[in-house]
Amino acid sequence: MKKIFVGVKLKRLREERGLTQIAFAEAIGLSPSYLNQLEKNQRPLTVPVLLRINAAFGIDMQLLSDGDEARLVSDLREVFSDPASGESVSLAEIREIAASMPAAGRAILALHRRLRHATERAEAMAHELGLGAAGVATVAPMPFEQVRDFFYRHHNYFAELDEAAERLFAEAGLAEGDTVDGIASWLETRHGVRVSFVKQDRAGTSTANRTYHLKERVLHIAARLDQGQRAFQMATQLAFLEMEEPLNRLAKEAAAASPATHALARIGLANYFAGALVMPYGAFLAAAEAVRYDIDLLAQRFGVGFETISHRLSSLQRPRSSGVPFFFIRVDRAGNISKRQSATDFHFSRVGGACPLWNVYEAFAQPGRTLTQVAQMPDGRTYLWIARSTSQTVGGFGDPGKTFAIGLGCDIRHASRLVYSKGLDLDNPAAATPIGAGCKVCERPACPQRAFPMIGRPLMVDENRSTVLPYAGAPA
């Protein structure tokens, strides 16, 4: 078993609670000298000690595990592979930063992301103006990127919203898989809001799923939506009425003084509440465990679609009652990632596209089928991935619709808990498909699918030799 040293994290946990080493040691049943050795990284953290800390302070054990450290290492490797950093930083140094100075590591990430966003936008503006290389300005990330990173930092779990939704489900007497009438009744009796299901106009051009008319206190829901979609839209509006204060407080944390980011964060958080109301935490987790996370069976029980169930599965991170920690991703045919959430340490690249060997892209070629894949990253970590395409048509013949591929993954150690592991060779590393976070940061030297050379690695160019491997790089 890998030794885990968490001295800085442990000291920070103690100082945040205003405790001396003696008081903290007494609280978890250790001697002060033993705690001192832990904080100085002279002893590794053991499982019994981790459990004592959890019992004494009720913290999420992931905070002291190496899951976040692995994600931070992966992100920092991407930062220091950028030639603009001007320094060659070894993997050992990066791991030391992630393990001993995680706050400093996150600050480096934040600064690098601001620099990258500013550079990309400045170059785009210079191109539009017909100018040469543009200088770098201090420009904040786009609002949707700020919201995406906000959910990512919270591991796609918001206890306050989840618990409030679960209480409301019970108080309103809602029924699993049939919540439309119950939510409509609650909206009318508690908030004086009447729900009306509206058909498309004669031209068939209406695309609004939900429209709330504040003055008339009428909520219009598109009649073309199925029951699960109707319930979700109604629950989203209910979130704005019931959860105004927590929505504003959490959105303020995400906003960075940007009104657009604040508004987008409120919508994202309201959607989170809606999912938690239609699929209340305790009942949903119990059902998921009972059917071994079979998404189709869960969809039948709770009356919602594949994407909604997959998204909810990625949010089951309640302390002492957590589900399988999933990664959720939604991509289009061009490889654009429109949604990505991670409850743990899977690394989604922010530079270029994702890996074409990932089964998420194969899902477009086999619409409606649930595909499985055991995939291994360059660092040796192995995952089980489930992927399926989803489509939705709005309007009539010839009108463009929406088609995405949904991916749901987990670390291989959790794979046996999933029905999707049936028939897969989970214990054979050679059976795993080698994938990467994206060509620009992927270290695999012998990938015939590579689309770009790796950032920071010089190319080996030989005009007298041709191989099936594009962009051959020099050794690290």
Side-chain angles (χ1 to χ4, degrees):
M1 179 179 176
K2 177 185 175 183
K3 292 183 179 181
I4 302 174
F5 295 91
V6 293
V8 174
K9 293 181 182 178
L10 200 57
K11 185 176 181 180
R12 184 174 180 177
L13 173 67
R14 175 173 62 79
E15 292 178 344
E16 285 176 349
R17 284 156 176 76
L19 298 175
T20 63
Q21 276 192 342
I22 294 175
F24 191 87
E26 288 178 353
I28 59 177
L30 296 178
S31 68
S33 61
Y34 190 96
L35 176 62
N36 184 54
Q37 290 176 325
L38 287 173
E39 290 190 356
K40 291 183 177 180
N41 284 332
Q42 294 172 353
R43 283 179 177 265
L45 182 70
T46 64
V47 172
V49 173
L50 182 62
L51 293 174
R52 289 187 186 187
I53 296 171
N54 177 258
F57 299 101
I59 66 164
D60 183 353
M61 289 191 289
Q62 283 191 347
L63 295 177
L64 294 177
S65 71
D66 64 345
D68 278 348
E69 181 182 322
R71 174 158 52 181
L72 185 55
V73 167
S74 190
D75 283 338
L76 287 173
R77 291 188 74 181
E78 184 174 307
V79 169
F80 291 117
S81 68
D82 188 339
S85 67
E87 290 285 345
S88 177
V89 182
S90 70
L91 179 58
E93 291 174 299
I94 292 173
R95 284 176 173 161
E96 182 65 24
I97 293 172
S100 302
M101 297 172 284
R106 288 191 292 271
I108 292 170
L109 285 179
L111 290 171
H112 182 264
R113 286 169 189 164
R114 289 179 68 86
L115 172 63
R116 180 170 53 79
H117 286 299
T119 302
E120 289 174 353
R121 295 177 68 180
E123 288 176 349
M125 185 177 295
H127 177 75
E128 288 294 321
L129 296 174
L131 303 176
V136 175
T138 304
V139 183
M142 298 290 285
F144 79 92
E145 293 168 321
Q146 289 180 322
V147 173
R148 181 186 294 173
D149 288 343
F150 168 68
F151 274 79
Y152 193 70
R153 290 195 304 273
H154 281 264
H155 298 281
N156 199 28
Y157 177 70
F158 297 90
E160 184 175 7
L161 300 182
D162 232 311
E163 292 165 5
E166 198 167 25
R167 289 193 300 269
L168 180 57
F169 185 94
E171 188 177 352
L174 302 181
E176 293 176 13
D178 187 18
T179 56
V180 171
D181 291 340
I183 297 176
S185 175
W186 186 268
L187 282 166
E188 187 162 10
T189 56
R190 293 302 181 100
H191 299 282
V193 174
R194 180 173 58 86
V195 178
S196 175
F197 299 102
V198 182
K199 295 181 179 180
Q200 289 180 313
D201 57 31
R202 291 183 179 180
T205 57
S206 176
T207 58
N209 292 328
R210 168 179 55 89
T211 306
Y212 179 53
H213 301 277
L214 178 60
K215 186 176 181 180
E216 297 84 2
R217 300 194 75 75
V218 174
L219 176 62
H220 285 168
I221 301 293
R224 58 179 164 75
L225 301 181
D226 60 35
Q227 288 294 94
Q229 292 169 328
R230 292 181 181 186
F232 188 88
Q233 292 297 331
M234 292 160 61
T236 298
Q237 192 62 52
L238 181 57
F240 291 123
L241 299 170
E242 291 266 345
M243 305 296 293
E244 181 70 14
E245 190 278 328
L247 290 185
N248 275 333
R249 176 166 31 84
L250 288 167
K252 185 178 180 181
E253 178 188 338
S258 164
T261 303
H262 188 274
L264 284 176
R266 275 175 51 88
I267 294 172
L269 291 164
N271 287 338
Y272 182 96
F273 178 89
L277 181 61
V278 175
M279 296 164 283
Y281 195 103
F284 186 79
L285 176 59
E289 291 282 355
V291 299
R292 297 185 63 201
Y293 293 85
D294 189 310
I295 298 174
D296 291 310
L297 292 181
L298 291 172
Q300 294 169 26
R301 176 165 176 170
F302 290 92
V304 292
F306 186 92
E307 179 178 345
T308 306
I309 292 290
S310 298
H311 199 285
R312 182 58 170 147
L313 286 173
S314 73
S315 66
L316 300 180
Q317 294 303 300
R318 180 177 292 177
R320 300 190 182 93
S321 181
S322 61
V324 170
F326 282 108
F327 336 109
F328 170 87
I329 189 167
R330 188 181 76 176
V331 301
D332 63 18
R333 292 180 183 275
N336 300 306
I337 300 175
S338 54
K339 287 184 181 180
R340 61 181 176 204
Q341 300 295 345
S342 179
T344 179
D345 58 354
F346 186 79
H347 177 62
F348 297 110
S349 176
R350 291 178 171 84
V351 182
C355 180
L357 300 178
W358 205 356
N359 71 336
V360 174
Y361 297 105
E362 177 64 23
F364 290 112
Q366 302 185 52
R369 287 193 59 192
T370 300
L371 308 180
T372 59
Q373 180 186 50
V374 177
Q376 187 176 77
M377 298 294 285
D379 63 3
R381 293 190 176 223
T382 307
Y383 305 92
L384 172 62
W385 278 96
I386 306 140
R388 184 193 289 182
S389 64
T390 62
S391 297
Q392 181 181 351
T393 300
V394 180
F397 176 77
D399 291 333
K402 298 195 301 182
T403 300
F404 297 103
I406 306 301
L408 194 68
C410 69
D411 192 279
I412 198 68
R413 68 180 184 274
H414 302 293
S416 60
R417 298 169 61 183
L418 276 60
V419 68
Y420 303 102
S421 64
K422 183 179 180 180
L424 298 178
D425 191 354
L426 301 179
D427 300 320
N428 181 9
T433 301
I435 68 169
C439 290
K440 292 183 178 181
V441 293
C442 182
E443 301 172 355
R444 297 191 185 280
C447 179
Q449 193 66 54
R450 178 176 287 280
F452 304 101
M454 182 182 176
I455 293 175
R457 185 75 58 82
L459 288 176
M460 294 181 63
V461 181
D462 185 350
E463 64 182 32
N464 298 314
R465 186 169 181 264
S466 175
T467 73
V468 297
L469 302 177
Y471 302 113

